[in-house]
Amino acid sequence: MTKVINTINDDILSENICFIPTMGAIHEGHLSLVDIGKETNLKTLVSIFLNRRQFNNDDDFKNYPIEHEQDIQFLKSRGVDFIFLPQDSYIYPSEGVPSIVPSKVGSILEGASRPGHFEGVLTVVNRLFDLIKPSHAVFGKKDAQQLFLIKDMVSRLDLNIEIIEGEIFRDINGLALSSRNKHLSHDAKLIAANIFKSLQKVSKEINLGKSFEESVELGINSLNQNEIDLDYLEIVDEENFNYPNKYSKKLKLLTAAYVENVRLIDNIDIEI
Ligand code: AMP
């Protein structure tokens, strides 16, 4: 039986919880994280909280889809134990909550394009961790930089929480599922599927021995040809998010781009 709750009580604190934070508008990507959570055999708790503090753009916040009734149905059908739907004032009481400033990786890529974004993310995730006291938490690799910074926060603050990573869930054309895809027309979704195709193209070129610079340049050209308004396409060493060097073994290629003015992010792992 799924319970919908607005506050965290002692019953929940007495359980070992596997926590899956979301901002709602639940899709199969979120539900794939729920499935991973259920494999732990702990009680699963999904939060739905649209965190104002991580939006650096008012319109983006105001336009974010809110579908609580449908979210609850989806999560119930996947057997989630607790759905946590807190009020703003519960998460951010008047006495304030500690702000968590990200390490320097927080100021590149998404952090450079969206100032304050990662401080907002880490602050709310830390607050939710503090309220729920989970033993495990599941995050998607879709938000790779966010995942890196959360693991970094858990280690810096010495939080005793195991972070589990979920693979990116894509539609049949390769478009990574996202709540923001609800703003895309049918045609725009087909255009947006070229984002993943371009990432794959770059990955293939690197594996064929082409230099990082040349390969990324090809990816940029391929994205620009496809009515996609590119913000960045960059390659980093997965270990530290620095530009890769000859010792790098695992790379990440990350991109943010606009299609029909909707900001989309995606990434791909590259083994060399
Ligand atoms: P959000 O509701 O967008 O804040 O996302 C909540 C969690 O779901 C985050 O850990 C995301 O990385 C994850 N997530 C979002 N989209 C996907 C996807 N397509 N595949 C896997 N995980 C995802």
Side-chain angles (χ1 to χ4, degrees), residues 45 50 55 72 74 77 87 107 112 116 122 147 175 179 183 212 214 243 254 271:
L45 185 152
L50 190 54
F55 286 83
I72 291 170
F74 284 160
S77 73
Q87 296 286 323
S107 51
L122 295 186
L147 177 56
L175 173 63
S179 302
H183 296 310
F212 299 148
E214 265 184 290
Y243 194 75
L254 304 108
E271 305 243 358

Short mmCIF file of all heavy atoms in Angstrom, two decimals, residues 45 50 55 72 74 77 87 107 112 116 122 147 175 179 183 212 214 243 254 271:
data_model
loop_
_atom_site.label_atom_id
_atom_site.label_comp_id
_atom_site.label_asym_id
_atom_site.label_seq_id
_atom_site.Cartn_x
_atom_site.Cartn_y
_atom_site.Cartn_z
N LEU A 45 10.92 5.64 -0.92
CA LEU A 45 10.25 6.93 -0.71
C LEU A 45 10.60 7.84 -1.87
O LEU A 45 11.79 8.11 -2.12
CB LEU A 45 10.69 7.54 0.63
CG LEU A 45 9.99 8.83 1.06
CD1 LEU A 45 9.97 8.96 2.59
CD2 LEU A 45 10.60 10.08 0.46
N LEU A 50 8.99 20.67 -6.29
CA LEU A 50 9.50 21.58 -7.32
C LEU A 50 10.30 22.67 -6.61
O LEU A 50 9.73 23.57 -5.99
CB LEU A 50 8.31 22.16 -8.10
CG LEU A 50 8.66 22.95 -9.36
CD1 LEU A 50 9.53 22.15 -10.30
CD2 LEU A 50 7.37 23.36 -10.08
N PHE A 55 16.15 27.00 -9.79
CA PHE A 55 15.82 27.62 -11.09
C PHE A 55 16.44 29.01 -11.13
O PHE A 55 16.19 29.82 -10.23
CB PHE A 55 14.30 27.73 -11.27
CG PHE A 55 13.64 26.41 -11.55
CD1 PHE A 55 13.32 25.55 -10.51
CD2 PHE A 55 13.36 26.01 -12.85
CE1 PHE A 55 12.71 24.32 -10.76
CE2 PHE A 55 12.76 24.79 -13.10
CZ PHE A 55 12.43 23.95 -12.06
N ILE A 72 1.00 10.49 -8.78
CA ILE A 72 0.66 9.56 -7.69
C ILE A 72 0.21 8.22 -8.27
O ILE A 72 0.64 7.15 -7.81
CB ILE A 72 -0.42 10.19 -6.76
CG1 ILE A 72 0.20 11.36 -5.99
CG2 ILE A 72 -1.01 9.16 -5.81
CD1 ILE A 72 -0.79 12.22 -5.22
N PHE A 74 1.04 6.89 -11.21
CA PHE A 74 2.21 6.18 -11.77
C PHE A 74 3.04 5.53 -10.65
O PHE A 74 3.46 4.38 -10.76
CB PHE A 74 3.13 7.15 -12.54
CG PHE A 74 2.62 7.55 -13.90
CD1 PHE A 74 3.09 8.69 -14.53
CD2 PHE A 74 1.70 6.77 -14.59
CE1 PHE A 74 2.65 9.07 -15.79
CE2 PHE A 74 1.24 7.13 -15.86
CZ PHE A 74 1.72 8.29 -16.45
N SER A 77 1.35 2.59 -9.06
CA SER A 77 1.34 1.39 -9.92
C SER A 77 2.70 0.70 -9.90
O SER A 77 2.82 -0.47 -10.24
CB SER A 77 0.93 1.75 -11.34
OG SER A 77 1.98 2.44 -11.96
N GLN A 87 5.09 20.76 1.50
CA GLN A 87 4.87 22.18 1.23
C GLN A 87 6.24 22.87 1.20
O GLN A 87 7.18 22.42 1.87
CB GLN A 87 4.06 22.83 2.36
CG GLN A 87 2.65 22.31 2.53
CD GLN A 87 1.74 22.82 1.44
OE1 GLN A 87 1.87 23.96 1.02
NE2 GLN A 87 0.85 21.97 0.97
N SER A 107 30.78 25.07 -11.08
CA SER A 107 30.73 26.34 -11.83
C SER A 107 30.99 26.18 -13.32
O SER A 107 31.03 27.16 -14.05
CB SER A 107 31.68 27.36 -11.20
OG SER A 107 32.93 26.77 -11.05
N ALA A 112 27.84 27.00 -15.25
CA ALA A 112 28.20 28.25 -15.93
C ALA A 112 26.97 28.84 -16.61
O ALA A 112 26.78 30.06 -16.63
CB ALA A 112 29.30 27.98 -16.96
N GLY A 116 23.96 29.51 -9.81
CA GLY A 116 23.19 29.23 -8.58
C GLY A 116 22.44 27.91 -8.64
O GLY A 116 21.94 27.42 -7.61
N LEU A 122 22.00 21.19 -4.33
CA LEU A 122 22.65 20.56 -3.17
C LEU A 122 21.95 20.96 -1.87
O LEU A 122 21.80 20.14 -0.96
CB LEU A 122 24.13 20.95 -3.11
CG LEU A 122 25.00 20.45 -4.28
CD1 LEU A 122 26.47 20.78 -4.01
CD2 LEU A 122 24.84 18.96 -4.53
N LEU A 147 24.89 14.47 -10.37
CA LEU A 147 25.23 13.23 -9.68
C LEU A 147 26.66 13.33 -9.12
O LEU A 147 26.91 12.96 -7.96
CB LEU A 147 25.09 12.07 -10.66
CG LEU A 147 25.47 10.68 -10.20
CD1 LEU A 147 24.69 10.27 -8.95
CD2 LEU A 147 25.18 9.67 -11.32
N LEU A 175 15.93 9.86 -27.62
CA LEU A 175 15.78 11.08 -26.82
C LEU A 175 15.67 10.71 -25.33
O LEU A 175 14.82 9.89 -24.96
CB LEU A 175 14.52 11.85 -27.27
CG LEU A 175 14.13 13.05 -26.41
CD1 LEU A 175 15.21 14.14 -26.45
CD2 LEU A 175 12.79 13.63 -26.88
N SER A 179 11.10 15.65 -17.91
CA SER A 179 9.80 16.30 -17.67
C SER A 179 9.60 17.43 -18.69
O SER A 179 8.49 17.71 -19.10
CB SER A 179 9.74 16.87 -16.26
OG SER A 179 9.97 15.82 -15.34
N HIS A 183 6.93 19.80 -23.12
CA HIS A 183 6.77 21.06 -23.84
C HIS A 183 7.13 20.95 -25.32
O HIS A 183 7.03 21.92 -26.05
CB HIS A 183 7.64 22.15 -23.22
CG HIS A 183 7.25 22.50 -21.81
ND1 HIS A 183 5.96 22.78 -21.45
CD2 HIS A 183 7.98 22.62 -20.69
CE1 HIS A 183 5.91 23.05 -20.16
NE2 HIS A 183 7.13 22.94 -19.67
N PHE A 212 40.14 14.45 -29.54
CA PHE A 212 38.94 14.94 -28.83
C PHE A 212 38.41 16.20 -29.52
O PHE A 212 37.22 16.33 -29.74
CB PHE A 212 39.25 15.27 -27.37
CG PHE A 212 39.73 14.10 -26.55
CD1 PHE A 212 40.63 14.29 -25.51
CD2 PHE A 212 39.27 12.82 -26.82
CE1 PHE A 212 41.06 13.21 -24.75
CE2 PHE A 212 39.69 11.74 -26.07
CZ PHE A 212 40.60 11.94 -25.03
N GLU A 214 38.78 17.40 -32.60
CA GLU A 214 38.15 17.16 -33.92
C GLU A 214 36.80 16.47 -33.77
O GLU A 214 35.83 16.79 -34.45
CB GLU A 214 39.05 16.27 -34.76
CG GLU A 214 39.98 17.00 -35.70
CD GLU A 214 40.73 15.99 -36.55
OE1 GLU A 214 41.59 15.28 -35.96
OE2 GLU A 214 40.45 15.88 -37.75
N TYR A 243 39.23 18.51 -18.11
CA TYR A 243 39.46 18.12 -19.50
C TYR A 243 40.33 16.86 -19.48
O TYR A 243 41.29 16.77 -18.72
CB TYR A 243 40.16 19.27 -20.26
CG TYR A 243 40.11 19.07 -21.75
CD1 TYR A 243 38.93 19.29 -22.44
CD2 TYR A 243 41.23 18.63 -22.45
CE1 TYR A 243 38.88 19.08 -23.82
CE2 TYR A 243 41.18 18.42 -23.82
CZ TYR A 243 40.00 18.64 -24.50
OH TYR A 243 39.94 18.41 -25.84
N LEU A 254 29.20 15.70 -22.57
CA LEU A 254 27.96 16.30 -22.04
C LEU A 254 27.49 17.43 -22.93
O LEU A 254 28.31 18.19 -23.46
CB LEU A 254 28.20 16.87 -20.63
CG LEU A 254 28.73 15.89 -19.60
CD1 LEU A 254 30.18 16.21 -19.29
CD2 LEU A 254 27.91 15.94 -18.33
N GLU A 271 34.34 4.93 -23.18
CA GLU A 271 35.48 4.20 -22.61
C GLU A 271 36.61 4.24 -23.62
O GLU A 271 36.38 4.01 -24.82
CB GLU A 271 35.10 2.72 -22.37
CG GLU A 271 33.87 2.56 -21.52
CD GLU A 271 34.15 1.86 -20.20
OE1 GLU A 271 35.32 1.45 -19.99
OE2 GLU A 271 33.22 1.76 -19.39
#
